[in-house]
Amino acid sequence: SFTEFIIIVSMMLSLVALSIDATLPALPQIGADLNVAAANDRQLVVSMIFLGISIGQLIYGPLSDSIGRKRAIYYGYGLYIIGALFSAFTAGFPMMLVGRFLQGMGVAAPNSVTLALVRDRFEGRQMARVMSFVMTVFILVPMIAPSLSQGILLISSWRGIFLGFVIVALATMGWFALRIPETLPPEKHVPFSFQRLLDMLLEIVR
């Protein structure tokens, strides 16, 4: 249904904001447990996910044009879950940063390809209506994410926040897999190539 589609898409897009803002209350604990010498280095936990997103968004768009929207999103979710597990069970700060980078690379898929899902299904005023609802939810998530993670810290350590990311990702991916059909038919697939990726990047720069 229209309402269910909006809810699923909103949850997928909100995973970016959740992955960033939910870690903020835990930064002091992360720094202490992983023996981060300089307090300012703790902010790399946030910076690395942005780096992963910026790189991932260049890849998943052309990839989804080549193999379909759903498969590209599945690959992203898989990478995101691996990164969250790396961060949850790390014993050192460098591995934490690797996990956060993988999270960013992974979450770039639902963040970018989901917009293609909307464009595939809707256009004009209907598309604008969908995106207005989605953006409303997207704005609300950063407001409540720190409170949710603070609640987790009351009953668990910061590692519980990253395990929470895994649970949310699995639940969202499962709902998406069961209820959202593929929106890009095989006859519209475009072969993936790095030359095409470079051409698109140059076009954006111009």
Side-chain angles (χ1 to χ4, degrees):
S1 68
F2 181 78
T3 302
E4 186 179 15
F5 179 81
I6 289 176
I7 294 173
I8 296 174
V9 169
S10 299
M11 290 178 64
M12 293 170 66
L13 283 175
S14 299
L15 192 59
V16 172
L18 182 67
S19 302
I20 295 168
D21 292 281
T23 60
L24 299 181
L27 290 182
Q29 285 192 19
I30 293 174
D33 288 355
L34 300 182
N35 300 314
V36 179
N40 281 341
D41 288 348
R42 297 179 305 195
Q43 64 192 346
L44 293 174
V45 172
V46 176
S47 301
M48 290 303 291
I49 196 170
F50 277 114
L51 178 61
I53 292 172
S54 63
I55 295 174
Q57 286 184 331
L58 296 174
I59 299 173
Y60 286 113
L63 184 64
S64 71
D65 290 339
S66 175
I67 64 175
R69 312 299 190 207
K70 296 192 73 169
R71 285 180 63 189
I73 290 175
Y74 292 154
Y75 290 156
Y77 266 114
L79 197 58
Y80 176 85
I81 291 170
I82 291 172
L85 290 173
F86 264 50
S87 297
F89 296 107
T90 183
F93 193 61
M95 189 59 70
M96 160 65 74
L97 298 183
V98 171
R100 291 295 280 174
F101 176 76
L102 292 177
Q103 275 190 281
M105 284 284 292
V107 81
N111 187 55
S112 56
V113 181
T114 299
L115 299 178
L117 284 174
V118 176
R119 288 195 301 269
D120 290 342
R121 291 192 58 172
F122 303 100
E123 60 182 17
R125 294 187 62 180
Q126 190 77 338
M127 177 180 172
R129 184 176 175 223
V130 171
M131 292 310 302
S132 66
F133 281 118
V134 170
M135 287 300 107
T136 299
V137 177
F138 184 79
I139 292 171
L140 290 174
V141 169
M143 296 171 59
I144 64 174
S147 298
L148 293 175
S149 61
Q150 192 65 57
I152 294 175
L153 291 175
L154 292 175
I155 59 175
S156 179
S157 70
W158 58 267
R159 299 180 191 272
I161 295 174
F162 289 92
L163 293 178
F165 292 155
V166 174
I167 295 171
V168 171
L170 288 173
T172 309
M173 182 175 64
W175 195 1
F176 166 75
L178 292 174
R179 301 295 294 167
I180 302 293
E182 176 60 59
T183 59
L184 187 69
E187 61 270 17
K188 291 188 177 181
H189 287 191
V190 180
F192 180 87
S193 70
F194 285 100
Q195 182 60 47
R196 179 170 177 265
L197 184 63
L198 179 61
D199 292 341
M200 294 175 63
L201 180 59
L202 291 176
E203 182 179 351
I204 292 171
V205 172
R206 287 196 298 268

